[in-house]
Amino acid sequence: MTLRSPTHILTGTRIRERRLALRRRQADIARVAGISPAYLNLIEHNRRPVGDRLVARLAEALEVPAAELTAGREEARIAALREAAARAPSTGELAPELEQAAEILARFPGWSATLIATARRSDALERQLINLSDRMTQDPYLLTNLHEVLSAVTSLRSTATILAEEGDVPEEWRHRFHANLAEDSLRLSTTAQALVAYLDGFETEGGIFTPQEEVEAWMAAGTPPIDKATDLASDAARALARDHLVRMEDERAALPDAALAAASEEGDPLRIATRMRAPLDLVMRRLAALRPPGFEEAGLLVCDGSGTLTLRRPAPGFPLPRPGDACPLWPLYQALAAPQTAISAQVETPQQHRFSTISYATRSQPEGAFGPVLTRAQMLILPVEKAANGPAPVIRIGASCRICPRMECPARREPSILSPAPAVQGP
């Protein structure tokens, strides 16, 4: 038994549909094409294959381009129809006739296109719903801002209730209550503004949601003037940007651009720090900001003692998660446990991109000997060919557990929504 391809099925059905649309008889079309009406009848009912020459003659008789009668280009649509049928809810005895997908596509192209588009939109909405659900239940930024809004509203209501119910409030206390109202109102306004901008970005894949992401986009754009920066949409982001500019100016004064560019020929940040007699953490931050020759693709990650990323300058190809999430295998976090010690390691992403990293942590007590000890770690990221001489262990990392395809990772803390990464075949 000879199996007929979808191309043959669609061609016969299309010929018949076109002939009926023209209100032409089989005998008329068969005579022009040089075949018998009986043979054309077999073709139209998908019982005979059709060669290219015969298709060309039939197309001329039917007054259409030959490409309109061939169906090789429709195989993807046939597969899409079958996929839509497979994903549809079960209807018991009224199951879709998968074997007739090609004929349905040929006879009802408009309805088929509508069904395919509807199925694809349904899939997209389902993925968006899952994404929104994850954010609503797990996103630390959203949860923190909602808590801040509730806290500010509760404080405002308490203060307003006291002023409304206590008719005779001493002037000193009245001034305090008014100051509290102003402070809580400003806090609520700033938080609500950031929250609205965040929620507005939910429908945008990869959109800017948090003040930190706004600042990162502003930095990627070359730090234009804050009052003209379109990336800085919220007051919180503009405040962070101003603080960043102050730090950058202080660090540039401590380690001028010209001197750093001249010393960058050493290639190794530790040697650069030694040559310039400068702290290694300062050298790492300045290399990532200036990107002198040899460090054009440098990236930098900075975190505080809790492990929260406070600065993200991505290196090309290095996966970054959303703020509040990260891969626990990054050498950045190993440095937190060994302050004042440079940790050199090579890392490999799930896409088999390798990078050379140097991680370094520092501790400080800005409030004096009896104040809290603050820890900060940072990781300089370089293409592997820019690695300093010497062996370094290779660590297989990801962006965060939820979107990492490395299913067997020993540091996994939650299931991944992705399928396992395919194995890379050797040469």
Side-chain angles (χ1 to χ4, degrees):
M1 178 179 179
T2 302
L3 295 177
R4 290 169 290 143
S5 70
T7 299
H8 296 150
I9 295 175
L10 279 171
T11 300
T13 304
R14 282 180 177 274
I15 290 171
R16 182 173 182 273
E17 293 298 320
R18 176 61 179 172
R19 181 181 62 79
L20 293 176
L22 294 176
R23 300 191 179 191
R24 302 281 297 276
R25 297 184 305 167
Q26 283 184 339
D28 296 335
I29 301 299
R31 183 173 58 254
V32 176
I35 59 176
S36 67
Y39 191 72
L40 178 57
N41 184 65
L42 293 173
I43 290 174
E44 288 188 353
H45 288 83
N46 306 308
R47 295 177 182 176
R48 290 292 185 273
V50 191
D52 292 339
R53 293 182 181 179
L54 181 53
V55 168
R57 296 200 304 269
L58 288 168
E60 183 179 356
L62 295 169
E63 303 173 3
V64 293
E68 292 296 324
L69 299 179
T70 57
R73 60 190 176 88
E74 302 290 356
E75 292 183 6
R77 296 185 183 179
I78 295 174
L81 270 179
R82 289 175 174 165
E83 181 180 356
R87 294 177 64 89
S90 176
T91 54
E93 296 180 356
L94 300 177
E97 296 83 359
L98 297 180
E99 67 279 0
Q100 296 181 10
E103 185 173 356
I104 292 173
L105 180 62
R107 296 186 62 183
F108 308 105
W111 280 107
S112 298
T114 300
L115 177 60
I116 293 172
T118 302
R120 289 175 175 171
R121 176 168 174 76
S122 175
D123 291 344
L125 290 175
E126 182 178 345
R127 289 193 298 270
Q128 186 179 24
L129 178 62
I130 293 173
N131 187 28
L132 292 177
S133 176
D134 288 343
R135 291 183 184 177
M136 294 293 289
T137 57
Q138 299 182 24
D139 195 315
Y141 180 81
L142 177 61
L143 296 176
T144 300
N145 274 272
L146 288 175
H147 176 77
E148 184 69 12
V149 167
L150 291 175
S151 175
V153 169
T154 301
S155 179
L156 282 170
R157 182 175 180 178
S158 299
T159 304
T161 299
I162 293 175
L163 289 175
E165 294 181 352
E166 298 292 337
D168 189 13
V169 179
E171 183 176 356
E172 179 183 356
W173 283 99
R174 187 169 61 253
H175 287 314
R176 289 186 182 182
F177 287 139
H178 288 165
N180 290 341
L181 286 174
E183 181 180 349
D184 290 334
S185 298
L186 179 61
R187 180 161 62 105
L188 179 60
S189 173
T190 302
T191 305
Q193 183 185 53
L195 187 59
V196 169
Y198 182 89
L199 294 174
D200 284 344
F202 264 26
E203 296 183 356
T204 305
E205 193 68 26
I208 298 173
F209 302 135
T210 69
Q212 180 181 341
E213 289 175 302
E214 294 180 43
V215 173
E216 290 169 359
W218 168 73
M219 292 166 62
T223 63
I226 293 177
D227 58 342
K228 298 180 180 180
T230 57
D231 294 310
L232 302 175
S234 64
D235 292 338
R238 287 188 284 272
L240 289 175
R242 284 190 288 269
D243 292 342
H244 174 76
L245 288 178
V246 172
R247 288 194 303 270
M248 291 291 291
E249 287 299 322
D250 292 343
E251 293 182 353
R252 185 177 291 109
L255 204 59
D257 291 356
L260 180 62
S264 65
E265 62 186 19
E266 292 283 353
D268 184 348
L270 279 77
R271 293 181 178 178
I272 296 174
T274 300
R275 173 174 169 176
M276 302 193 71
R277 298 182 179 180
L280 177 59
D281 58 321
L282 174 61
V283 171
M284 293 168 65
R285 291 193 299 273
R286 292 289 291 123
L287 286 174
L290 183 61
R291 292 184 170 178
F295 295 88
E296 295 89 349
E297 297 184 352
L300 183 72
L301 299 178
V302 180
C303 74
D304 59 20
S306 71
T308 302
L309 295 176
T310 58
L311 178 66
R312 309 186 310 170
R313 283 179 174 266
F318 190 91
L320 288 182
R322 288 185 52 76
D325 201 1
C327 175
L329 296 182
W330 285 353
L332 172 72
Y333 299 121
Q334 299 178 26
L336 288 173
Q340 314 302 139
T341 302
I343 298 176
S344 177
Q346 287 189 17
V347 297
E348 183 181 86
T349 70
Q351 293 74 34
Q352 283 75 49
H353 297 157
R354 285 197 176 186
F355 297 88
S356 171
T357 67
I358 295 178
S359 301
Y360 189 73
T362 58
R363 286 180 176 171
S364 62
Q365 291 177 275
E367 295 183 357
F370 298 101
V373 177
L374 304 182
T375 305
R376 180 171 71 170
Q378 53 195 34
M379 181 170 71
L380 187 68
I381 309 167
L382 303 169
V384 74
E385 59 268 19
K386 299 296 183 182
N389 295 330
V394 177
I395 303 173
R396 302 178 69 206
I397 64 167
S400 65
C401 290
R402 187 157 182 78
I403 59 174
C404 180
R406 302 192 193 279
M407 301 300 173
E408 303 302 324
C409 177
R412 177 168 294 285
R413 59 179 178 269
E414 64 175 321
S416 174
I417 62 175
L418 304 179
S419 58
V424 177
Q425 301 295 328

